[in-house]
């Protein structure tokens, strides 16, 4: 649905290419008949931007089990059956040696096809959410690659399939950013003084969430200069610029450099942007996360000691103030380093390929 799933698939393909692996990336929504997949994407984007309460209701109804207890796979759905049938035609045309899903609808379709005997190749699922919901789960898949060990244990208990922790799939430029260049770019973009901390506020690729409020909180504090990353949402960028609260940037190809020069990242989706910040060594604070997977992901990151979940304007400013504590930064950095020391996803895929 969002750019994060595409980015993970693209990065996995880039890493597999040196191993002599030919990669074909398929958007699972293209497999929905009558181009309804694109309608689903537009509906999801509209709900996230304009009616987050509606997406929260859908998430509670379909993504989270209404019965207490451990994770359980969801019941079969007609949509999954349609996608699996069209996926079957694709794999018959060009038989793969492995299938890797980086989106939960794909995991459902591939697992269904594999379980029914329509897919001869191993089916792996690379979970991109910090909080694993039940739509990722299908016992037909062969192996799961999870964001942490707790998620891997929960997935194995729910599906009976092997699951393990794998390192985040982040492009290499986020591991080696130029700090000096990043600081200079941020100074030019924000107009901040030489010693003024610049805080990036991420609205994701679609430019969603209550980022105007976050910018207002930081601006009112007088201690931090906010810069909002609006993604591809031109309306949001114009709106923020109109308020005068903060500089607002559109889609950027130099996010790694900007992160290298920033003091912290305020995020609301617990997605790919957080993983990129972790790779850069940039502290992450979750504030007013989008409902559903965004809120659950923010809670999961905070439980793992990877970030802070600020529930109010006062907590947001307090969390930023605490980042001046070098010992706290080092403790959090050690936990983030443990993420990237896990097994690389490409190694698990190569093992499936034999």
């Amino acid at each position: 649905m969002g750019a994060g799933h595409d980015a993970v698939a693209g990065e996995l393909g880039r890493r597999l290419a040196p191993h002599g692996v030919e990669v074909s990336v398929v958007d699972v929504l293209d497999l929905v008949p009558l181009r309804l997949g694109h309608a689903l994407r537009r509906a999801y984007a509209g709900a996230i931007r304009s009616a987050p309460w509606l997406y929260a209701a859908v998430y509670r109804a379909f993504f989270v089990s209404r019965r207490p207890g451990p994770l359980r796979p969801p019941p079969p759905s007609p949509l999954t059956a349609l996608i699996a049938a069209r996926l079957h035609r694709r794999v018959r045309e060009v038989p793969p040696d492995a299938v890797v899903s980086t989106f939960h609808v794909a995991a459902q379709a591939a697992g269904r096809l594999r379980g029914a005997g329509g897919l001869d190749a191993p089916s792996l699922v690379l979970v991109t959410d910090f909080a694993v919901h039940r739509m990722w789960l299908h016992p037909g898949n062969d192996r799961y690659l999870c964001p942490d060990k707790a998620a891997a244990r929960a997935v194995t208990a729910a599906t009976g399939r092997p699951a393990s922790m794998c390192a985040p799939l982040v492009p290499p430029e986020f591991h080696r950013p130029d700090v000096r260049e990043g600081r200079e770019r941020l100074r030019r973009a924000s107009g901040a003084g030489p010693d003024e901390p610049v805080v990036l506020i991420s609205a994701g690729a679609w430019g969603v969430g209550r980022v105007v409020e976050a910018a207002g909180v930081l601006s009112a504090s007088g201690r931090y200069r906010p810069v909002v990353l609006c993604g591809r949402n031109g309306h949001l960028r114009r709106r923020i610029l109109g308020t005068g609260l903060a500089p607002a940037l559109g889609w950027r190809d130099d996010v790694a450099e900007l992160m290298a020069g920033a003091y912290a990242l305020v995020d609301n989706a617990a997605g790919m942007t957080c993983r990129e910040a972790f790779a850069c060594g940039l502290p992450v604070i979750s504030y007013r996360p989008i409902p559903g997977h965004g809120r659950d992901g923010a809670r999961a990151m905070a439980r793992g000691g990877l970030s802070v979940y600020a529930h109010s304007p006062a907590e947001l400013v307090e969390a930023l103030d605490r980042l001046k504590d070098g010992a706290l930064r080092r403790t959090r950095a050690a936990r983030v380093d443990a993420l990237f020391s896990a097994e690389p996803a490409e190694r698990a895929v190569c093992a499936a390929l034999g």
Side-chain angles (χ1 to χ4, degrees):
M1 286 287 187
H5 301 284
D6 295 336
V8 169
E11 177 60 16
L12 180 59
R14 187 195 67 80
R15 294 187 186 190
L16 288 170
H19 298 278
V21 179
E22 181 181 349
V23 175
S24 174
V25 178
V26 178
D27 187 339
V28 69
L29 295 182
D30 289 338
L31 302 178
V32 182
L34 304 176
R35 294 184 59 82
L36 291 177
H38 299 277
L40 284 173
R41 182 184 283 119
R42 289 193 296 272
Y44 169 68
I48 288 292
R49 286 173 177 160
S50 305
W53 57 268
L54 177 60
Y55 175 64
V58 170
Y59 183 85
R60 286 194 301 271
F62 297 101
F63 290 66
V64 182
S65 177
R66 280 166 280 187
R67 292 185 295 175
L71 275 172
R72 296 181 182 89
S77 75
L79 178 63
T80 299
L82 286 171
I83 296 173
R86 292 170 72 94
L87 178 61
H88 191 204
R89 289 199 288 271
R90 291 291 297 265
V91 300
R92 281 189 301 175
E93 293 168 1
V94 184
D97 296 300
V99 172
V100 183
S101 300
T102 64
F103 183 51
H104 56 79
V105 176
Q108 287 292 313
R112 183 185 180 110
L113 189 60
R114 177 72 163 151
L119 176 62
D120 295 329
S123 175
L124 287 75
V125 178
L126 204 163
V127 180
T128 58
D129 289 323
F130 277 104
V132 183
H133 54 71
R134 67 177 185 159
M135 291 298 292
W136 283 104
L137 308 177
H138 196 291
N141 293 302
D142 294 273
R143 183 179 176 187
Y144 280 78
L145 307 176
C146 300
D148 57 30
K149 293 178 180 178
R153 288 193 295 268
V155 167
T156 297
T159 64
R161 295 299 187 180
S164 59
M165 178 180 172
C166 79
L169 277 159
V170 176
E173 60 265 26
F174 288 92
H175 293 276
R176 297 184 297 273
D178 188 324
V179 175
R180 183 176 298 177
E181 172 66 17
R183 286 176 179 165
E184 181 57 31
R185 290 191 189 200
L186 271 181
R187 300 298 171 210
R188 291 197 300 266
S190 65
D195 298 320
E196 190 175 10
V198 179
V199 177
L200 293 176
I201 302 174
S202 172
W206 287 352
V208 297
R210 296 163 63 177
V211 293
V212 177
E213 176 189 336
V217 171
L218 299 190
S219 180
S221 75
R223 300 200 289 276
Y224 303 101
R225 178 64 62 92
V227 173
V228 183
L229 302 176
C230 299
R232 295 188 171 95
N233 192 333
H235 174 74
L236 175 65
R237 183 167 184 254
R238 291 189 295 273
R239 179 184 170 197
I240 293 174
L241 290 174
T243 66
L245 291 172
L249 308 180
W251 185 260
R252 305 280 296 213
D253 294 322
D254 61 347
V255 174
E257 286 78 12
L258 298 179
M259 285 185 171
Y263 175 76
L265 172 75
V266 175
D267 177 79
N268 66 9
M272 187 64 176
T273 305
C274 288
R275 290 166 169 82
E276 292 168 348
F278 292 153
C280 283
L282 181 65
V284 173
I285 299 171
S286 299
Y287 182 70
R288 302 296 194 233
I290 60 176
H293 67 278
R295 189 174 297 142
D296 284 355
R299 290 168 177 160
M301 290 193 305
R303 283 196 303 270
L306 303 171
S307 64
V308 174
Y309 187 168
H311 296 83
S312 67
E315 287 187 13
L316 174 58
V317 176
E318 182 184 353
L320 288 167
D321 290 344
R322 287 203 306 268
L323 291 177
K324 297 180 175 69
D325 184 340
L328 178 64
R329 275 181 172 259
R330 287 191 293 273
T331 299
R332 194 163 299 150
R335 289 173 178 151
V336 168
D337 289 345
L339 283 183
F340 290 94
S341 64
E343 178 187 28
E346 66 270 22
R347 184 179 300 170
V349 176
C350 285
L353 290 168

